[in-house]
Amino acid sequence: MPDQPQEPRRTPLSRDRVLRAAVAFADAAGIDALSMRRLAQELGVVPMALYKHVANKEELLDGMVEVVFAGIEGQVPGSDWKGAVRGRILGARATLLAHTWAAQVIRSRTSPTPAVLAYLDSVIGMFRAGGLSTDLTHHVMHALGSRVLGFTEELFDNPAGASGAPQDDRAQAAAYEAMARQYPHVTELARSVAHDRRSVVGQGCDDRFEFEFALDLLLDGFGRLHGEGWTSTP
Amino acid sequence: MPDQPQEPRRTPLSRDRVLRAAVAFADAAGIDALSMRRLAQELGVVPMALYKHVANKEELLDGMVEVVFAGIEGQVPGSDWKGAVRGRILGARATLLAHTWAAQVIRSRTSPTPAVLAYLDSVIGMFRAGGLSTDLTHHVMHALGSRVLGFTEELFDNPAGASGAPQDDRAQAAAYEAMARQYPHVTELARSVAHDRRSVVGQGCDDRFEFEFALDLLLDGFGRLHGEGWTSTP
DNA sequence: ACCTGAACACCGTTCAAGT
DNA sequence: ACCTGAACACCGTTCAAGT
């Protein structure tokens, strides 16, 4: 008799299945909840079984980034370099928004995985195809920084620091007054944002608008330098 | 007889001493090595003694950021808004370079601590003093993102992925060849950087140049929009 | 040869027992 | 009232014992 397993083990484990399960788990429970032990449990497997398919947790995280980056869209054929880069980066942004943990994991890696390299290669290629020199393209890529991957460090979640324990109206007004005295410019800005968006305080900003505002400002600046024949060593 | 401690306990513990010890420890051993237990050991104290001065590790990290931001210089009096902001941000960058772990810790916090808020308030005040509208200043702050704090996500440590196990020359050449085929644009860029800097492959880039390149590009863009009377709601 | 339970060396934090 | 040792509920990973 062949040695079939008695327990109904759904599917044989594979590196791909491990990575996809990890991505799904992080999507659902967050990256902090992801541990080797919990992932194993999710797969109905003993923790050490995972180490057959990934060398360690670092490699698991790298693999998760690979899975995510494999799904990036945004090749816009027939546009100039500015439109091409813009479309590609917004495509990356859309993908990363679908996996809220991904930006954090990418940040924690020190060297890029193949899929990330392939993505970057395609963006660099767009600048080069547009006629930008390797010199300018190099500095341009640095200036984009993590924005080229579709995310940026937003400084805070809420513009006016609306966190904290619930308070009665009087205490809240007093706290607001104290804040306005200590941080007048921050408060002014927060108030104007709330007013502009005709909303309650602390709703937050239009992330997509802010991302495109900065991206277009940078791309326009790149175009201007390119037009002037800019070089780093004059 | 008063109840003096028999053991020669150097200095009575205080919140400030705990925070400064934590900063010094992270400076020396890195942020990953910092644990409540190791910090207590460093201070010659039982782990639970720390919890008298900080509620938990989160509060410890917040406090460490406060200590670092209290030391930021860079108020340049008598310059226009562009020079003032530039000087202040480069001051923040100098401080963060002295505490390599700080950027990572700031990133992990969701809401800003008072010293960070005070710093941001001063930068916003510089834009406002220069005549920029609250509307433009708001989007400008978003466009700067973490750069306003003096750091940016650099994508990798080494431009050409020079990591990996040591190899003989032939294997290395083959790996390089394979890389050039798979990521032609990345390779071209890495090669041109190495050539421009007349150095061995993988020395890396001039971080200060890259930071200022992007900062000045953004500040010039802000100035242009300001001059045009830009508004987000035309 | 393959698989895996127990163990190791850590965490941050709670809690009850000691002074 | 204050302080603290032991304990709890976790980690990632090693390793030796079992099949």
Side-chain angles (χ1 to χ4, degrees), chain A residues 4 6 16 45 48 85 124 136 197 217 224-225 230:
Chain A
Q4 301 266 5
Q6 279 82 350
D16 194 64
V45 146
M48 285 313 298
V85 168
I124 294 170
L136 179 55
R197 308 204 74 220
L217 196 66
R224 198 166 287 117
L225 293 178
W230 182 92

Side-chain angles (χ1 to χ4, degrees), chain B residues 14-21 67:
Chain B
S14 70
R15 183 181 166 87
D16 193 64
R17 219 165 82 76
V18 168
L19 297 182
R20 287 184 190 286
V67 169

Side-chain angles (χ1 to χ4, degrees), chain A residues 107 112 114 120-121 128 134 138-139 142-143 146-147 153-154 156 183-186 188 205 210 217 222 224, chain B residues 107 112 114 120-121 128 138-139 142-143 146-147 153-154 156 183-186 188 205 210 217 222 224:
Chain A
R107 272 193 266 129
L120 291 172
D121 199 76
R128 297 286 292 126
T134 54
H138 169 224
H139 302 298
H142 274 286
S146 66
R147 206 181 302 267
E153 226 53 73
E154 285 295 333
F156 334 111
Y183 315 111
H185 300 111
V186 169
E188 180 197 42
C205 306
E210 306 305 344
L217 196 66
F222 302 159
R224 198 166 287 117
Chain B
R107 272 193 265 129
L120 291 172
D121 199 75
R128 297 286 291 129
H138 168 223
H139 302 298
H142 275 286
S146 67
R147 206 181 302 266
E153 225 56 70
E154 286 295 332
F156 335 111
Y183 314 111
H185 300 109
V186 168
E188 180 197 41
C205 306
E210 306 306 345
L217 196 67
F222 302 159
R224 199 166 284 119

Side-chain angles (χ1 to χ4, degrees), chain A residues 7-194:
Chain A
E7 314 96 6
R9 194 173 289 171
R10 296 174 189 168
T11 322
L13 217 53
S14 70
R15 182 181 165 86
D16 194 64
R17 217 164 83 77
V18 169
L19 296 181
R20 288 183 189 287
V23 167
F25 185 88
D27 285 347
I31 194 70
D32 287 343
L34 178 73
S35 71
M36 299 297 277
R37 291 166 123 104
R38 285 224 47 184
L39 178 59
Q41 188 181 308
E42 208 75 11
L43 284 160
V45 146
V46 84
M48 285 313 298
L50 298 178
Y51 286 81
K52 192 113 305 167
H53 301 99
V54 288
N56 48 37
K57 194 178 181 182
E58 299 281 287
E59 202 181 291
L60 177 76
L61 293 171
D62 279 339
M64 292 168 71
V65 172
E66 289 292 289
V67 169
V68 167
F69 265 74
I72 291 184
E73 316 249 327
Q75 300 272 23
V76 185
S79 54
D80 65 345
W81 65 266
K82 217 183 273 190
V85 168
R86 191 177 196 277
R88 191 95 169 106
I89 291 180
L90 291 179
R93 181 174 138 83
T95 297
L96 289 204
L97 282 177
H99 306 281
T100 51
W101 48 269
Q104 184 184 329
V105 171
I106 290 167
R107 272 193 266 129
S108 73
R109 315 284 80 202
T110 54
S111 54
T113 52
V116 174
L117 266 180
Y119 170 82
L120 291 172
D121 199 76
S122 78
V123 175
I124 294 170
M126 288 169 177
F127 283 120
R128 297 286 292 126
L132 276 70
S133 67
T134 54
D135 182 30
L136 179 55
T137 301
H138 169 224
H139 302 298
V140 148
M141 290 295 290
H142 274 286
L144 284 172
S146 66
R147 206 181 302 267
V148 77
L149 298 177
F151 67 95
T152 322
E153 226 53 73
E154 285 295 333
L155 290 183
F156 334 111
D157 294 343
N158 45 0
S163 63
Q167 300 172 319
D168 60 85
D169 288 356
R170 183 160 310 180
Q172 200 163 354
Y176 195 79
E177 196 62 33
M179 168 120 176
R181 224 176 301 113
Q182 256 193 308
Y183 315 111
H185 300 111
V186 169
T187 311
E188 180 197 42
L189 219 60
R191 195 176 293 164
S192 87
V193 171

Side-chain angles (χ1 to χ4, degrees), chain B residues 126-176:
Chain B
M126 288 169 177
F127 283 120
R128 297 286 291 129
L132 276 70
S133 67
T134 54
D135 181 30
L136 180 55
T137 302
H138 168 223
H139 302 298
V140 148
M141 290 295 290
H142 275 286
L144 284 172
S146 67
R147 206 181 302 266
V148 77
L149 298 177
F151 67 94
T152 323
E153 225 56 70
E154 286 295 332
L155 290 182
F156 335 111
D157 293 344
N158 45 1
S163 63
Q167 299 174 320
D168 60 85
D169 288 356
R170 184 162 307 180
Q172 200 162 352
Y176 196 79

Side-chain angles (χ1 to χ4, degrees), chain B residues 193-215:
Chain B
V193 171
H195 177 265
D196 283 1
R197 307 203 75 222
R198 277 162 189 76
S199 65
V200 294
V201 175
Q203 170 177 350
C205 306
D206 182 341
D207 287 342
R208 184 177 178 92
F209 180 89
E210 306 306 345
F211 189 87
E212 296 189 9
F213 174 82
L215 179 57

